[in-house]
């Protein structure tokens, strides 16, 4: 789009002279042809050309950005309707996130899929790291969407849900933290708990690409 904008500006630049000459001609009630440039103040004409070029540049740039923002908005998931700043941060993830609610649990029961519950908050460093490494990754998102009904919760918005599943994580693993990761049946019976998981495994910590297939089986 940038190259197209530059090309359009160059094309328009060739006719800017004609626009200026016509404007000046009408304002002075005389017909002035481009060949008689010497009759005008070249400095004023050049200034006008620069202003028009700047205007065209910002116009095309704004249109390109508007197209990009429009496409991004069209790709948003169900979290886009949330009032939570944390959930809105995940609204453009390729993961098919559901907010906590009946719709998600009914979907899990209907499709007979386990639930992938992820809990975090807007100022959590490792929550943002996991989003960037895993939830923004198309391969991870595809696996999550195929195998789970995915629910995202803001712990500051729903502290009772966070407290309940943090207790589950601590009981199952002996530790806790955020992002909190819980995998459970459609009837809300947890069978896996953890915290941060990268895309690929690191040392003793499994990655999402290894974790999802093992949980799905």
């Amino acid at each position: 789009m940038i190259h197209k904008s530059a090309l359009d500006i160059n094309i328009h630049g060739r006719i800017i002279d004609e626009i200026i000459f016509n404007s000046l001609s009408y304002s002075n009630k005389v017909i002035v042809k481009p060949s008689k440039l010497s009759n005008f103040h070249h400095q004023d004409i050049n200034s006008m050309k620069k202003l028009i070029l700047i205007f065209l540049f910002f116009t095309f740039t704004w249109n390109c950005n508007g197209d990009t923002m429009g496409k991004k908005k069209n790709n948003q998931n169900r979290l886009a309707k949330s009032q939570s700043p944390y959930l809105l941060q995940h609204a453009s993830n390729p993961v098919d996130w559901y907010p906590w609610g009946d719709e998600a649990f009914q979907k899990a029961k209907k499709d007979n899929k386990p639930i992938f519950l992820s809990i975090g908050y807007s100022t959590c460093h490792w929550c943002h790291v996991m989003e960037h490494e895993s939830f923004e990754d198309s391969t991870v998102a595809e696996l999550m969407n195929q195998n789970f009904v995915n629910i995202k919760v803001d712990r500051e918005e729903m502290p009772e849900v966070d407290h309940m599943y943090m207790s589950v994580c601590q009981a199952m693993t002996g530790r806790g933290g955020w992002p909190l990761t819980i995998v459970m049946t459609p009837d809300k019976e947890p069978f896996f708990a953890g915290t941060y998981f990268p895309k690929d495994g690191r040392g003793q910590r499994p990655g999402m690409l290894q974790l999802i297939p093992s949980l799905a089986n």
Side-chain angles (χ1 to χ4, degrees), residues 196-211:
Y196 157 77
F197 294 99
K199 176 183 177 180
D200 296 296
R202 299 173 186 170
Q204 300 298 316
R205 185 185 297 273
M208 292 290 283
L209 293 181
Q210 298 78 44
L211 185 63

Side-chain angles (χ1 to χ4, degrees), residues 158-175:
M158 305 187 74
E160 70 285 357
V161 174
D162 173 62
H163 177 74
M164 178 172 61
Y165 287 103
M166 183 59 71
S167 298
V168 169
C169 181
Q170 291 171 341
M172 293 179 69
T173 68
R175 58 185 181 274

Side-chain angles (χ1 to χ4, degrees), residues 119-170:
I119 302 176
Y121 56 101
S122 59
T123 58
C124 167
H125 170 73
W126 288 105
C127 297
H128 295 303
V129 173
M130 187 169 178
E131 178 191 14
H132 177 68
E133 293 180 348
S134 298
F135 301 146
E136 290 181 350
D137 184 85
S138 59
T139 303
V140 173
E142 185 177 2
L143 286 172
M144 291 178 66
N145 295 339
Q146 287 175 352
N147 294 284
F148 305 118
V149 171
N150 305 290
I151 299 178
K152 175 62 74 172
V153 168
D154 181 351
R155 69 178 292 258
E156 295 175 328
E157 185 179 60
M158 305 187 74
E160 70 285 357
V161 174
D162 173 62
H163 177 74
M164 178 172 61
Y165 287 103
M166 183 59 71
S167 298
V168 169
C169 181
Q170 291 171 341

Side-chain angles (χ1 to χ4, degrees), residues 107-120:
K107 174 71 172 175
K109 289 181 178 179
K110 179 182 177 181
D111 295 351
N112 194 29
K113 287 183 177 181
I115 293 166
F116 186 99
L117 173 63
S118 178
I119 302 176

Side-chain angles (χ1 to χ4, degrees), residues 24-36:
L24 291 172
S25 298
Y26 283 116
S27 64
N28 290 282
K29 296 183 179 180
V30 294
I31 299 176
V32 182
K33 296 182 179 180
S35 60
K36 296 183 179 181

Side-chain angles (χ1 to χ4, degrees), residues 76-96:
Q76 289 186 324
N77 54 47
R78 292 171 181 82
L79 301 184
K81 298 179 181 180
S82 173
Q83 299 298 315
S84 160
Y86 175 66
L87 298 189
L88 290 173
Q89 289 171 1
H90 293 264
S92 297
N93 292 168
V95 177
D96 187 16

